[in-house]
């Protein structure tokens, strides 16, 4: 490694990506670089925001493989038979799990009502009430929090219990990842405090104890790198198939588009030809997988408004430095 170039990289991180807490680079399954910033260390977990979505995608694939979910073409309402539907409301009846995974489900809102969602006594009921409307199914509508929560309800209903327990048994434990318990965020102040506390670990939960599909998971950089390596290896971990290989393949190819951006099953597709894809969350949290170069790059970061794009940092600075 060129120490001068590494020093230059770290200067760029300090000046332009100052909310970064860790960058870890792995190639051919071997660690090449790992450094911490802002007082963080290897044992500190970070709220990875929407990286949670890609982890949840893996859980859906596992649930299908184990028979808890028959198919992603099942309608959402099959899991919510008591959901009240307004007269004349047809759109919601045809929304499938696939639509939720590809962000092509329609919603009644123009702008996602985060505050009302968090203030509601039952997040699931609130989210279901937003699904449908007059828009057609099939158009890309990114649901950061509200709509995505419905997927949590689907898995909770299908597995018949705690999402965290299901994830621990079938995903986290095989990888040696510890997510110790639910993180209760009862007020806005608690929410903000948890996101910036390097001693917080676990997974957020709604008032009914359901872990969100779209956010709320706290992971260490090592955890993030393990997940990236798992996907790079087709869902295998030390020879054991943790996530079905077919699910990894389907999740990481283009399933829908948002302008020039491609999306899989809760994964962003960076370059389909080169098979480069990423889990991405607010603040610049990233698990970046380059299949051709056999690389995994993980970046953990604290929330910052209008955080600078980490994919640019990776492709312009990090990847060229460690690819050869």
């Amino acid at each position: 490694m060129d120490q001068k170039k590494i020093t230059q990289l770290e200067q760029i991180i300090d000046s332009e990506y100052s909310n970064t807490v860790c960058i870890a680079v792995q190639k051919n399954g071997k660690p090449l670089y790992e450094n911490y910033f802002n007082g963080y260390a290897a044992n500190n977990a970070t709220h990875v925001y929407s990286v949670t979505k890609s982890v949840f995608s893996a859980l859906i694939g596992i649930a299908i493989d184990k028979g808890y979910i028959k198919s992603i073409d099942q309608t959402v309402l099959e899991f919510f038979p008591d959901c009240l539907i307004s007269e004349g409301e047809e759109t919601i009846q045809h929304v499938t799990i696939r639509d939720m995974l590809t962000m092509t489900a329609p919603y009644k809102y123009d702008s996602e009502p985060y505050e009302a969602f968090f203030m509601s006594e039952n997040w699931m009921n609130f989210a279901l009430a937003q699904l449908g409307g007059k828009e057609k199914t099939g158009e890309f509508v990114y649901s950061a929090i509200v709509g995505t929560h419905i997927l949590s309800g689907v898995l909770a209903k299908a597995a018949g219990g705690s999402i965290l327990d299901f994830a621990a048994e079938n995903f986290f434990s095989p990888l040696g990842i510890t997510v110790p318990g639910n993180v209760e965020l009862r007020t806005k102040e608690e929410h903000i405090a948890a996101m910036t506390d390097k001693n917080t670990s676990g997974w957020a939960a709604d008032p009914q104890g359901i872990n969100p599909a779209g956010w709320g998971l706290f992971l260490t950089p090592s955890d993030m790198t393990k997940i990236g390596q798992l996907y790079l290896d087709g869902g295998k971990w030390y020879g054991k198939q943790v996530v079905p290989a077919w699910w990894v393949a389907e999740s990481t190819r283009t399933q829908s588009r948002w302008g020039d951006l491609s999306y899989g099953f809760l994964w962003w597709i960076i370059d389909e030809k080169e098979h480069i894809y990423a889990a991405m969350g607010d603040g610049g949290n990233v698990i970046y997988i380059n299949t051709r170069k056999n690389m995994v790059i993980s970046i953990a970061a604290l929330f910052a408004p209008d955080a600078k794009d980490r994919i640019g940092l990776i492709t312009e600075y990090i990847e060229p430095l460690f690819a050869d």
Side-chain angles (χ1 to χ4, degrees):
M1 290 184 290
D2 189 324
Q3 190 57 49
K4 183 178 179 181
K5 289 184 178 180
I6 289 175
T7 300
Q8 290 173 343
L9 170 65
E10 291 172 353
Q11 289 172 344
I12 290 168
I13 293 165
D14 286 336
S15 62
E16 300 182 34
Y17 304 87
S18 58
N19 65 319
T20 301
V21 300
C22 178
I23 294 178
V25 181
Q26 192 162 287
K27 182 176 172 65
N28 298 324
K30 297 180 180 179
L32 298 181
Y33 174 83
E34 187 171 314
N35 198 16
Y36 294 84
F37 309 86
N38 286 303
Y40 274 67
N43 63 334
N44 295 132
T46 307
H47 179 218
V48 294
Y49 292 91
S50 288
V51 169
T52 306
K53 292 179 174 65
S54 300
V55 173
F56 206 88
S57 173
L59 300 183
I60 294 292
I62 292 168
I64 292 171
D65 187 58
K66 291 185 175 296
Y68 292 106
I69 296 173
K70 296 176 185 177
S71 164
I72 59 171
D73 293 314
Q74 284 184 264
T75 64
V76 167
L77 290 190
E78 287 183 51
F79 299 87
F80 301 98
D82 298 328
C83 180
L84 297 176
I85 303 172
S86 302
E87 186 176 350
E89 172 68 275
E90 294 184 3
T91 305
I92 187 175
Q93 299 181 44
H94 305 293
V95 175
T96 65
I97 297 171
R98 182 189 297 273
D99 297 325
M100 308 300 295
L101 291 167
T102 58
M103 296 289 177
T104 57
Y107 298 97
K108 296 172 184 173
Y109 54 74
D110 293 323
S111 178
E112 203 163 358
Y114 303 123
E115 189 170 345
F117 172 78
F118 286 123
M119 290 180 64
S120 66
E121 294 182 359
N122 190 306
W123 296 0
M124 196 63 60
N125 288 347
F126 183 93
L128 285 166
Q130 308 307 309
L131 188 62
K134 297 179 181 179
E135 298 299 323
K136 292 182 179 179
T137 303
E139 296 293 325
F140 191 98
V141 179
Y142 186 74
S143 169
I145 292 175
V146 179
T148 314
H149 197 60
I150 296 169
L151 274 176
S152 299
V154 168
L155 182 56
K157 294 270 189 178
S162 162
I163 289 172
L164 182 52
D165 288 347
F166 179 86
E169 179 181 353
N170 297 290
F171 187 76
F172 295 138
S173 293
L175 271 63
I177 294 174
T178 301
V179 180
N182 289 343
V183 178
E184 293 187 11
L185 306 173
R186 291 162 293 190
T187 65
K188 182 178 180 180
E189 290 71 27
E190 285 185 355
H191 187 113
I192 294 171
M195 301 311 158
T196 56
D197 181 3
K198 61 184 178 183
N199 294 313
T200 301
S201 60
W203 196 344
D206 73 7
Q208 285 68 46
I210 300 173
N211 305 105
W215 64 282
L217 184 60
F218 290 77
L219 297 172
T220 66
S222 173
D223 297 336
M224 297 168 76
T225 302
K226 287 177 178 179
I227 293 167
Q229 189 65 46
L230 174 78
Y231 266 68
L232 182 61
D233 292 338
K236 281 188 177 181
W237 188 253
Y238 285 97
K240 179 183 178 181
Q241 198 73 48
V242 176
V243 181
W246 68 269
W247 183 259
V248 172
E250 286 296 294
S251 299
T252 59
R253 71 176 184 87
T254 299
Q255 301 285 350
S256 58
R257 293 184 184 277
W258 186 18
D260 294 333
L261 300 175
S262 296
Y263 204 66
F265 291 157
L266 303 181
W267 284 87
W268 291 99
I269 314 306
I270 309 302
D271 187 327
E272 185 150 41
K273 184 178 179 181
E274 296 293 318
H275 201 199
I276 301 171
Y277 52 96
M280 296 195 289
D282 269 349
N285 287 280
V286 178
I287 303 173
Y288 175 95
I289 297 126
N290 186 323
T291 306
R292 184 73 62 88
K293 294 180 179 177
N294 210 23
M295 292 184 72
V296 175
I297 298 170
S298 298
I299 300 179
L302 301 171
F303 176 78
D306 301 317
K308 201 169 180 181
D309 175 36
R310 262 44 173 198
I311 299 300
L313 172 66
I314 289 170
T315 57
E316 187 174 354
Y317 297 105
I318 301 175
E319 205 169 39
L321 184 56
F322 296 102
D324 297 328

